Amino acid sequence: MTEMLKILFAVIILFGALLSLLSAIGIIRLPDVYTRNHAVSKSATLGVLSILLGTFLYFWVIEGYMNARVILGFVFLFLTSPVAGHLISRAAYNSKVPLWEKSTQDDLKNKARSTKGKVSQ
Amino acid sequence: MKTNDLILQTATKITVFIILTYSLNLFFAGHNTPGGGFIGGLISAAAIVLLLLAFDMKTVKKALPFDFKKVAALGLLIATLTAMGSFLFDVPFLSHTFGYFDLPIFGKTELATAVLFDTGVYLVVVGVTMTIIQTIGEDE
């Protein structure tokens, strides 16, 4: 039973490592800053959460030691990582980093122009 | 310039409590596990810096109306007085002691005078960090 649980936790941790690797590949392969941000802010978050979950479960079930700081770590990462992604994307858009040339729709374009016109007047 | 930072401000309001709780945890856990006054103070200062990032300086000053230079001075005073308190018991400077007490909620608890010294370190670290950051930030 213990061996089965150990294998299960190893699978969870390896899944997290695989997701982190996928997000790293996403940073290299994707064309512009927004798609890269999309790749990294989602899959790296879930990857780190899986690694933390595997570690927490291992120490809880196998070693009998429950660490509340890891739970706090889940909550904190889950709260802050998407906000960080949002802020980076917004800063990129506001400093006029171009979209990928094959992207077809930019709903914020007119909004950005109208505020820019107001500032210049 | 009017900015729209709703997401950052809402996330900050929630995470600041987590960060401050964690810094208190590190501060009190410092005797037996990694942590202590220095790291606890730095994390508390980081929480206030997060508030400064999300809101402007006037709002944070209204919420935390401390003169951080005085906080640093108070911390130094507490640390020195704790160290000099050992003279009252006819032992060398900076001698610390501990004892076991039965507290109502916690049960048998080890209370050490080193915590008082650590409080001084904590206040000095918070005061110095916030003084540096506010001095840099006020340049206009």
Side-chain angles (χ1 to χ4, degrees), chain B residues 19-110:
Chain B
I19 299 172
L20 285 177
T21 316
Y22 186 52
S23 84
L24 276 184
N25 176 16
L26 276 181
F27 172 71
F28 284 114
H31 202 68
N32 298 316
T33 50
F38 186 79
I39 286 194
L42 268 186
I43 293 179
S44 292
I48 305 175
V49 170
L50 182 63
L51 278 178
L52 280 173
L53 280 176
F55 301 93
D56 57 349
M57 205 166 245
K58 268 182 199 164
T59 321
V60 177
K61 262 193 183 161
K62 206 192 279 175
L64 298 168
F66 305 122
D67 184 357
F68 283 103
K69 291 190 277 297
K70 284 179 187 161
V71 171
L74 179 73
L76 271 179
L77 192 70
I78 289 175
T80 322
L81 284 181
T82 321
M84 281 165 58
S86 57
F87 287 149
L88 294 178
F89 301 97
D90 226 13
V91 284
F93 188 62
L94 270 174
S95 298
H96 283 293
T97 183
F98 61 93
Y100 292 97
F101 298 93
D102 277 326
L103 296 183
I105 298 171
F106 299 105
K108 188 184 170 197
T109 314
E110 180 189 356

Coordinates of all heavy atoms in Angstrom, one line a residue, chain B residues 19-110:
Chain B
I19 N 0.6 37.4 3.8 CA 2.1 37.7 3.9 C 2.4 38.1 5.4 O 3.3 37.6 6.0 CB 2.5 38.8 3.0 CG1 2.3 38.3 1.5 CG2 4.0 39.1 3.2 CD1 2.6 39.4 0.5
L20 N 1.5 38.9 6.0 CA 1.7 39.3 7.3 C 1.6 38.2 8.3 O 2.4 38.0 9.3 CB 0.7 40.5 7.7 CG 1.1 41.8 7.1 CD1 0.0 42.8 7.5 CD2 2.4 42.3 7.6
T21 N 0.6 37.3 8.1 CA 0.5 36.1 8.9 C 1.7 35.2 8.9 O 2.3 34.8 9.9 CB -0.7 35.3 8.5 OG1 -1.8 36.1 8.2 CG2 -1.1 34.3 9.6
Y22 N 2.2 35.1 7.6 CA 3.4 34.2 7.4 C 4.6 34.9 8.1 O 5.5 34.2 8.7 CB 3.7 34.0 6.0 CG 4.8 33.1 5.7 CD1 4.7 31.8 6.3 CD2 5.8 33.4 4.9 CE1 5.8 30.9 6.0 CE2 6.8 32.5 4.6 CZ 6.8 31.3 5.2 OH 7.8 30.4 5.0
S23 N 4.7 36.2 8.1 CA 5.9 36.8 8.7 C 5.8 36.7 10.2 O 6.8 36.4 10.9 CB 6.0 38.3 8.3 OG 5.2 39.1 9.2
L24 N 4.6 36.7 10.8 CA 4.5 36.5 12.2 C 4.8 35.1 12.6 O 5.5 34.8 13.6 CB 3.0 36.8 12.7 CG 2.7 38.2 13.0 CD1 1.3 38.4 13.5 CD2 3.7 38.8 14.0
N25 N 4.4 34.1 11.7 CA 4.7 32.7 11.9 C 6.2 32.5 11.9 O 6.8 31.9 12.8 CB 4.1 31.9 10.8 CG 4.4 30.5 10.8 OD1 4.9 30.0 11.8 ND2 4.2 29.7 9.8
L26 N 6.9 33.1 10.9 CA 8.4 33.0 10.9 C 9.0 33.6 12.1 O 10.0 33.1 12.6 CB 8.9 33.6 9.6 CG 8.9 32.8 8.4 CD1 9.5 33.6 7.2 CD2 9.7 31.6 8.5
F27 N 8.5 34.8 12.5 CA 9.1 35.5 13.7 C 9.0 34.6 14.9 O 10.0 34.5 15.7 CB 8.3 36.8 13.9 CG 8.7 37.5 15.1 CD1 9.9 38.1 15.3 CD2 7.8 37.5 16.2 CE1 10.2 38.8 16.4 CE2 8.1 38.2 17.3 CZ 9.4 38.8 17.5
F28 N 7.8 34.0 15.2 CA 7.7 33.2 16.4 C 8.3 31.8 16.3 O 8.7 31.2 17.3 CB 6.3 33.0 16.8 CG 5.7 34.3 17.4 CD1 4.7 35.0 16.8 CD2 6.2 34.7 18.6 CE1 4.3 36.2 17.4 CE2 5.8 35.9 19.2 CZ 4.8 36.6 18.6
A29 N 8.5 31.3 15.0 CA 9.0 30.0 14.8 C 10.6 30.0 14.9 O 11.2 29.0 14.9 CB 8.6 29.4 13.5
G30 N 11.1 31.2 14.9 CA 12.6 31.3 14.7 C 13.4 30.6 15.8 O 14.6 30.4 15.6
H31 N 12.8 30.3 16.9 CA 13.7 29.7 18.0 C 14.0 28.2 17.7 O 15.2 27.8 17.9 CB 12.9 29.7 19.3 CG 13.7 29.7 20.5 ND1 14.6 30.7 20.9 CD2 13.9 28.7 21.4 CE1 15.2 30.3 22.0 NE2 14.9 29.2 22.3
N32 N 13.1 27.5 17.1 CA 13.4 26.1 16.9 C 13.5 25.7 15.4 O 13.9 24.6 15.1 CB 12.3 25.2 17.5 CG 12.2 25.5 19.0 OD1 13.3 25.5 19.7 ND2 11.1 25.7 19.6
T33 N 13.0 26.5 14.5 CA 13.0 26.2 13.1 C 13.5 27.4 12.3 O 13.7 28.4 13.0 CB 11.6 25.9 12.6 OG1 10.7 26.9 13.0 CG2 11.0 24.6 13.1
P34 N 13.8 27.3 11.0 CA 14.3 28.5 10.3 C 13.4 29.6 10.4 O 12.2 29.4 10.4 CB 14.4 28.0 8.9 CG 14.7 26.5 9.0 CD 13.9 26.1 10.2
G35 N 13.9 30.8 10.5 CA 13.1 32.0 10.7 C 13.7 32.9 11.7 O 14.9 32.8 12.0
G36 N 13.0 33.9 12.2 CA 13.5 34.8 13.2 C 13.1 36.2 12.9 O 12.3 36.5 12.0
G37 N 13.7 37.1 13.7 CA 13.3 38.5 13.6 C 13.7 39.1 12.3 O 12.9 39.9 11.7
F38 N 14.9 38.8 11.8 CA 15.3 39.5 10.5 C 14.4 39.1 9.4 O 13.9 40.0 8.7 CB 16.8 39.0 10.2 CG 17.3 39.8 9.1 CD1 17.8 41.0 9.2 CD2 17.4 39.2 7.8 CE1 18.4 41.7 8.2 CE2 17.9 39.9 6.8 CZ 18.4 41.1 6.9
I39 N 14.2 37.8 9.1 CA 13.3 37.4 8.0 C 11.9 37.8 8.2 O 11.2 38.3 7.3 CB 13.4 35.9 7.8 CG1 14.8 35.6 7.2 CG2 12.3 35.4 7.0 CD1 14.9 34.2 6.7
G40 N 11.4 37.7 9.5 CA 10.0 38.2 9.7 C 9.9 39.7 9.4 O 8.9 40.1 8.8
G41 N 10.9 40.5 9.8 CA 10.8 41.9 9.5 C 10.8 42.2 8.1 O 10.1 43.0 7.6
L42 N 11.7 41.5 7.4 CA 11.8 41.7 5.9 C 10.5 41.4 5.2 O 10.1 42.1 4.3 CB 12.9 40.9 5.3 CG 14.3 41.5 5.2 CD1 15.2 40.6 4.5 CD2 14.2 42.8 4.5
I43 N 9.8 40.3 5.6 CA 8.6 39.9 5.0 C 7.5 40.9 5.3 O 6.7 41.2 4.4 CB 8.2 38.4 5.3 CG1 9.3 37.5 4.7 CG2 6.9 38.1 4.8 CD1 9.0 36.1 5.0
S44 N 7.5 41.4 6.5 CA 6.5 42.4 6.9 C 6.7 43.6 6.0 O 5.7 44.2 5.5 CB 6.6 42.8 8.3 OG 6.2 41.7 9.1
A45 N 8.0 44.0 5.9 CA 8.3 45.2 5.0 C 7.8 45.0 3.6 O 7.3 45.9 2.9 CB 9.7 45.6 5.1
A46 N 8.0 43.7 3.1 CA 7.6 43.4 1.8 C 6.1 43.5 1.6 O 5.6 44.0 0.5 CB 8.1 42.0 1.4
A47 N 5.4 43.1 2.6 CA 3.9 43.3 2.6 C 3.5 44.8 2.4 O 2.7 45.1 1.6 CB 3.2 42.7 3.8
I48 N 4.2 45.6 3.2 CA 3.9 47.1 3.1 C 4.3 47.6 1.7 O 3.7 48.5 1.2 CB 4.6 47.8 4.3 CG1 4.2 47.2 5.6 CG2 4.1 49.3 4.3 CD1 4.9 47.8 6.8
V49 N 5.5 47.1 1.2 CA 5.9 47.5 -0.1 C 4.8 47.1 -1.2 O 4.5 47.9 -2.1 CB 7.3 46.9 -0.5 CG1 7.6 47.2 -1.9 CG2 8.3 47.6 0.4
L50 N 4.2 45.9 -1.0 CA 3.2 45.5 -1.9 C 2.0 46.5 -1.8 O 1.4 46.9 -2.9 CB 2.7 44.1 -1.6 CG 1.6 43.5 -2.5 CD1 2.1 43.4 -3.9 CD2 1.2 42.2 -2.0
L51 N 1.6 46.9 -0.6 CA 0.6 47.9 -0.5 C 1.0 49.2 -1.2 O 0.2 49.9 -1.9 CB 0.4 48.2 1.0 CG -0.5 47.3 1.8 CD1 -0.6 47.7 3.2 CD2 -1.9 47.3 1.2
L52 N 2.3 49.6 -1.1 CA 2.7 50.8 -1.7 C 2.6 50.7 -3.2 O 2.4 51.7 -4.0 CB 4.2 51.1 -1.3 CG 4.4 51.8 0.0 CD1 5.9 51.8 0.3 CD2 3.9 53.2 0.0
L53 N 2.9 49.5 -3.8 CA 2.8 49.3 -5.2 C 1.4 49.4 -5.7 O 1.1 50.0 -6.8 CB 3.4 47.9 -5.6 CG 4.9 47.7 -5.6 CD1 5.2 46.3 -5.9 CD2 5.4 48.6 -6.8
A54 N 0.4 48.8 -4.9 CA -0.9 48.8 -5.4 C -1.7 50.1 -5.2 O -2.5 50.5 -6.0 CB -1.7 47.6 -4.8
F55 N -1.4 50.7 -4.0 CA -2.0 52.0 -3.7 C -1.0 53.1 -3.8 O 0.2 52.8 -3.9 CB -2.7 52.0 -2.4 CG -3.7 50.9 -2.3 CD1 -3.4 49.6 -1.8 CD2 -5.0 51.1 -2.7 CE1 -4.3 48.6 -1.7 CE2 -5.9 50.0 -2.6 CZ -5.6 48.8 -2.2
D56 N -1.4 54.4 -3.6 CA -0.3 55.4 -3.6 C 0.2 55.7 -2.2 O -0.4 55.2 -1.2 CB -0.8 56.6 -4.3 CG -2.0 57.2 -3.7 OD1 -2.6 56.5 -2.9 OD2 -2.4 58.3 -4.1
M57 N 1.2 56.5 -2.1 CA 1.9 56.6 -0.8 C 1.0 57.3 0.3 O 1.1 56.9 1.4 CB 3.2 57.5 -1.1 CG 4.2 57.2 -0.1 SD 5.7 57.9 -0.7 CE 6.7 56.5 -0.9
K58 N 0.2 58.2 -0.2 CA -0.7 58.9 0.8 C -1.6 57.9 1.5 O -1.8 58.0 2.7 CB -1.5 60.0 0.1 CG -0.8 61.4 0.1 CD -1.7 62.4 -0.5 CE -0.9 63.6 -1.0 NZ -1.6 64.4 -1.9
T59 N -2.2 57.0 0.7 CA -3.2 56.1 1.3 C -2.5 55.2 2.3 O -3.0 54.9 3.4 CB -3.8 55.2 0.2 OG1 -4.0 56.1 -1.0 CG2 -5.1 54.6 0.6
V60 N -1.3 54.7 1.9 CA -0.6 53.8 2.9 C -0.2 54.5 4.1 O -0.2 54.0 5.2 CB 0.6 53.2 2.1 CG1 1.4 52.3 3.1 CG2 0.2 52.4 1.0
K61 N 0.2 55.8 4.0 CA 0.6 56.6 5.2 C -0.6 56.8 6.1 O -0.5 56.9 7.3 CB 1.2 57.9 4.7 CG 2.7 57.9 4.7 CD 3.3 59.3 4.6 CE 4.8 59.2 4.6 NZ 5.4 60.4 4.1
K62 N -1.8 56.9 5.4 CA -3.0 57.1 6.3 C -3.3 55.8 7.0 O -3.8 55.8 8.1 CB -4.2 57.5 5.4 CG -5.2 58.3 6.1 CD -6.5 58.5 5.3 CE -6.4 59.6 4.3 NZ -7.6 59.6 3.5
A63 N -3.1 54.6 6.3 CA -3.4 53.4 6.9 C -2.4 53.0 8.0 O -2.8 52.4 9.0 CB -3.5 52.3 5.8
L64 N -1.2 53.3 7.8 CA -0.1 53.0 8.7 C 0.6 54.3 9.2 O 1.7 54.6 8.6 CB 0.9 52.0 8.1 CG 0.4 50.7 7.6 CD1 1.5 50.0 6.8 CD2 0.1 49.8 8.8
P65 N 0.0 55.0 10.1 CA 0.6 56.3 10.4 C 1.8 56.2 11.4 O 1.8 56.8 12.4 CB -0.6 57.0 11.1 CG -1.4 55.9 11.7 CD -1.2 54.7 10.9
F66 N 2.8 55.5 10.9 CA 4.0 55.4 11.8 C 5.1 56.2 11.1 O 5.2 56.3 9.9 CB 4.5 54.0 11.9 CG 3.5 53.0 12.4 CD1 3.1 51.9 11.6 CD2 2.9 53.2 13.6 CE1 2.2 51.0 12.1 CE2 1.9 52.3 14.1 CZ 1.6 51.2 13.3
D67 N 6.0 56.8 12.0 CA 7.2 57.4 11.5 C 8.3 56.2 11.6 O 8.6 55.8 12.7 CB 7.7 58.6 12.3 CG 8.9 59.2 11.7 OD1 9.4 58.7 10.8 OD2 9.3 60.2 12.3
F68 N 8.7 55.7 10.4 CA 9.4 54.4 10.4 C 10.8 54.6 11.0 O 11.5 53.7 11.5 CB 9.5 53.8 9.1 CG 8.2 53.1 8.7 CD1 7.3 53.6 7.9 CD2 7.9 51.9 9.3 CE1 6.1 53.0 7.6 CE2 6.7 51.2 9.0 CZ 5.8 51.8 8.2
K69 N 11.3 55.9 11.0 CA 12.6 56.1 11.7 C 12.5 55.9 13.2 O 13.4 55.3 13.8 CB 13.1 57.6 11.4 CG 13.5 57.8 10.0 CD 14.2 59.1 9.8 CE 13.2 60.3 9.6 NZ 12.3 60.2 8.5
K70 N 11.3 56.3 13.7 CA 11.1 56.1 15.2 C 10.9 54.6 15.5 O 11.2 54.1 16.5 CB 9.8 56.9 15.6 CG 10.2 58.4 15.8 CD 9.0 59.1 16.2 CE 9.3 60.6 16.2 NZ 8.0 61.4 16.1
V71 N 10.3 53.9 14.5 CA 10.1 52.4 14.7 C 11.5 51.8 14.8 O 11.7 50.9 15.7 CB 9.3 51.8 13.5 CG1 9.3 50.3 13.6 CG2 7.9 52.3 13.6
A72 N 12.4 52.2 13.9 CA 13.8 51.6 14.0 C 14.4 52.0 15.3 O 15.1 51.1 16.0 CB 14.6 52.1 12.8
A73 N 14.3 53.2 15.8 CA 14.9 53.6 17.1 C 14.3 52.8 18.2 O 15.0 52.4 19.1 CB 14.6 55.1 17.3
L74 N 12.9 52.6 18.2 CA 12.3 51.8 19.2 C 12.8 50.4 19.3 O 13.0 49.9 20.4 CB 10.8 51.8 19.0 CG 9.9 51.1 20.0 CD1 9.9 51.8 21.3 CD2 8.5 50.8 19.4
G75 N 13.0 49.8 18.1 CA 13.6 48.5 18.0 C 15.0 48.4 18.7 O 15.3 47.5 19.5
L76 N 15.8 49.4 18.4 CA 17.2 49.4 19.0 C 17.1 49.6 20.5 O 17.8 48.9 21.2 CB 18.0 50.6 18.4 CG 18.8 50.3 17.2 CD1 19.5 51.6 16.7 CD2 19.8 49.2 17.4
L77 N 16.1 50.4 20.9 CA 15.9 50.6 22.4 C 15.5 49.3 23.0 O 16.1 49.0 24.1 CB 14.9 51.7 22.6 CG 14.8 52.2 24.0 CD1 16.0 53.1 24.3 CD2 13.5 53.1 24.1
I78 N 14.6 48.6 22.4 CA 14.1 47.3 23.0 C 15.3 46.3 23.1 O 15.5 45.7 24.1 CB 12.9 46.8 22.2 CG1 11.7 47.6 22.4 CG2 12.6 45.4 22.6 CD1 10.5 47.2 21.6
A79 N 16.1 46.2 22.0 CA 17.1 45.3 22.0 C 18.2 45.6 23.1 O 18.6 44.7 23.8 CB 17.8 45.2 20.6
T80 N 18.5 46.9 23.2 CA 19.5 47.3 24.2 C 19.0 47.1 25.6 O 19.7 46.6 26.5 CB 19.9 48.8 24.0 OG1 19.9 49.0 22.6 CG2 21.2 49.1 24.6
L81 N 17.7 47.4 25.9 CA 17.2 47.3 27.2 C 17.1 45.8 27.6 O 17.3 45.4 28.7 CB 15.8 47.9 27.3 CG 15.8 49.4 27.4 CD1 14.4 49.9 27.5 CD2 16.6 49.9 28.6
T82 N 16.7 44.9 26.6 CA 16.7 43.5 26.9 C 18.1 43.0 27.3 O 18.3 42.2 28.2 CB 16.2 42.7 25.7 OG1 15.2 43.4 25.1 CG2 15.7 41.3 26.1
A83 N 19.1 43.5 26.5 CA 20.5 43.1 26.9 C 20.9 43.6 28.2 O 21.6 42.9 29.0 CB 21.4 43.6 25.8
M84 N 20.5 44.8 28.6 CA 20.9 45.4 29.9 C 20.1 44.8 31.0 O 20.5 44.9 32.2 CB 20.7 46.9 29.8 CG 21.9 47.6 29.1 SD 21.6 49.2 28.6 CE 21.3 50.0 30.2
G85 N 18.9 44.3 30.7 CA 18.1 43.7 31.8 C 18.8 42.6 32.5 O 18.5 42.3 33.7
S86 N 19.8 42.0 31.8 CA 20.5 40.9 32.5 C 21.4 41.4 33.6 O 21.7 40.6 34.5 CB 21.5 40.2 31.5 OG 22.3 41.1 30.9
F87 N 21.7 42.7 33.7 CA 22.4 43.3 34.8 C 21.6 43.2 36.1 O 22.2 43.0 37.2 CB 22.7 44.7 34.6 CG 23.8 44.9 33.6 CD1 23.8 46.0 32.7 CD2 24.8 44.0 33.4 CE1 24.8 46.2 31.8 CE2 25.8 44.1 32.4 CZ 25.8 45.3 31.7
L88 N 20.2 43.2 36.0 CA 19.4 43.2 37.2 C 19.6 41.8 37.9 O 19.4 41.8 39.1 CB 17.9 43.3 36.8 CG 17.5 44.7 36.2 CD1 16.0 44.6 35.8 CD2 17.7 45.8 37.2
F89 N 19.9 40.8 37.2 CA 20.0 39.5 37.8 C 21.5 39.1 38.0 O 21.8 37.9 38.2 CB 19.3 38.4 37.0 CG 17.9 38.8 36.8 CD1 17.4 39.4 35.6 CD2 16.9 38.4 37.7 CE1 16.1 39.7 35.5 CE2 15.6 38.7 37.6 CZ 15.2 39.4 36.5
D90 N 22.4 40.1 37.9 CA 23.8 39.9 38.2 C 24.5 38.8 37.3 O 25.2 38.0 37.8 CB 23.9 39.4 39.7 CG 25.0 40.2 40.4 OD1 25.5 41.2 39.8 OD2 25.4 39.8 41.5
V91 N 24.1 38.9 36.0 CA 24.7 38.0 35.1 C 25.3 38.9 34.0 O 25.0 40.1 33.9 CB 23.7 37.0 34.5 CG1 23.4 35.9 35.5 CG2 22.5 37.7 34.0
P92 N 26.3 38.3 33.1 CA 26.9 39.2 32.1 C 25.9 39.8 31.1 O 24.8 39.3 30.9 CB 27.9 38.2 31.4 CG 28.1 37.2 32.4 CD 26.9 37.0 33.2
F93 N 26.3 40.8 30.4 CA 25.5 41.5 29.4 C 25.1 40.5 28.3 O 25.8 39.6 27.9 CB 26.5 42.6 28.8 CG 25.8 43.5 27.8 CD1 24.8 44.4 28.3 CD2 26.2 43.6 26.5 CE1 24.2 45.2 27.4 CE2 25.6 44.5 25.6 CZ 24.6 45.3 26.1
L94 N 23.8 40.7 27.9 CA 23.2 39.8 26.8 C 23.0 38.4 27.2 O 22.7 37.6 26.4 CB 24.1 39.8 25.5 CG 23.8 40.9 24.5 CD1 24.8 40.9 23.4 CD2 22.4 40.8 23.9
S95 N 23.0 38.1 28.5 CA 22.6 36.7 28.9 C 21.1 36.6 28.8 O 20.4 37.5 29.1 CB 23.0 36.5 30.4 OG 24.4 36.6 30.6
H96 N 20.8 35.4 28.2 CA 19.3 35.2 28.0 C 18.9 33.9 28.8 O 19.8 33.1 29.1 CB 19.0 35.0 26.6 CG 19.0 36.2 25.8 ND1 18.0 37.2 26.0 CD2 19.8 36.7 24.9 CE1 18.3 38.2 25.3 NE2 19.3 38.0 24.5
T97 N 17.7 33.9 29.1 CA 17.2 32.7 29.9 C 15.8 32.3 29.3 O 15.2 33.0 28.5 CB 17.1 33.0 31.4 OG1 16.6 31.9 32.1 CG2 16.0 34.1 31.6
F98 N 15.3 31.1 29.8 CA 14.0 30.7 29.3 C 13.4 29.9 30.5 O 14.0 29.5 31.4 CB 14.1 29.9 28.1 CG 14.8 28.6 28.2 CD1 14.2 27.4 28.5 CD2 16.2 28.6 28.0 CE1 14.9 26.3 28.7 CE2 16.9 27.4 28.1 CZ 16.3 26.3 28.5
G99 N 12.0 29.8 30.4 CA 11.3 29.0 31.4 C 10.1 28.4 30.8 O 9.6 28.8 29.7
Y100 N 9.5 27.5 31.5 CA 8.2 26.8 31.0 C 7.1 27.3 31.9 O 7.1 27.4 33.1 CB 8.3 25.3 31.2 CG 9.3 24.8 30.2 CD1 10.6 24.5 30.6 CD2 9.0 24.5 28.9 CE1 11.6 24.0 29.8 CE2 9.9 24.0 28.0 CZ 11.2 23.8 28.4 OH 12.1 23.3 27.6
F101 N 6.0 27.8 31.2 CA 4.8 28.3 31.8 C 3.6 27.6 31.3 O 3.6 27.1 30.2 CB 4.7 29.8 31.6 CG 5.9 30.6 32.1 CD1 6.9 30.9 31.2 CD2 5.9 31.0 33.4 CE1 8.0 31.6 31.7 CE2 7.0 31.8 33.8 CZ 8.1 32.0 33.0
D102 N 2.6 27.6 32.1 CA 1.3 27.0 31.7 C 0.4 28.1 31.3 O -0.2 28.8 32.2 CB 0.7 26.2 32.9 CG 1.3 24.8 33.0 OD1 1.6 24.3 31.9 OD2 1.4 24.3 34.1
L103 N 0.2 28.3 30.0 CA -0.6 29.4 29.5 C -2.0 28.8 29.3 O -2.2 27.6 29.1 CB -0.1 30.0 28.2 CG 1.3 30.6 28.4 CD1 1.7 31.2 27.0 CD2 1.2 31.7 29.4
P104 N -3.1 29.7 29.3 CA -4.4 29.2 29.2 C -4.7 28.4 27.9 O -5.3 27.3 28.0 CB -5.3 30.5 29.3 CG -4.4 31.6 29.3 CD -3.0 31.1 29.6
I105 N -4.4 28.9 26.8 CA -4.7 28.2 25.5 C -3.6 27.3 25.1 O -3.9 26.2 24.6 CB -5.1 29.3 24.4 CG1 -6.2 30.1 24.9 CG2 -5.4 28.6 23.1 CD1 -6.5 31.3 24.0
F106 N -2.4 27.7 25.2 CA -1.3 27.0 24.5 C -0.8 25.8 25.4 O -0.1 24.9 24.9 CB -0.1 27.9 24.3 CG -0.4 29.1 23.4 CD1 -0.6 30.3 23.9 CD2 -0.5 28.8 22.0 CE1 -0.9 31.4 23.0 CE2 -0.8 29.9 21.2 CZ -1.0 31.1 21.7
G107 N -1.2 25.8 26.7 CA -0.7 24.7 27.5 C 0.7 25.0 28.0 O 1.1 26.2 28.2
K108 N 1.5 24.0 28.1 CA 2.9 24.2 28.5 C 3.7 24.8 27.4 O 3.9 24.3 26.3 CB 3.5 22.8 28.9 CG 4.9 23.0 29.6 CD 5.4 21.6 29.8 CE 6.9 21.7 30.2 NZ 7.5 20.4 30.1
T109 N 4.2 26.0 27.7 CA 4.9 26.8 26.6 C 6.3 27.2 27.1 O 6.4 27.6 28.3 CB 4.1 28.0 26.3 OG1 2.7 27.7 26.1 CG2 4.6 28.7 25.0
E110 N 7.2 27.1 26.2 CA 8.6 27.6 26.6 C 8.6 29.1 26.2 O 8.4 29.5 25.0 CB 9.6 26.9 25.8 CG 11.0 27.3 26.1 CD 12.1 26.7 25.2 OE1 11.7 25.9 24.4 OE2 13.2 27.1 25.3

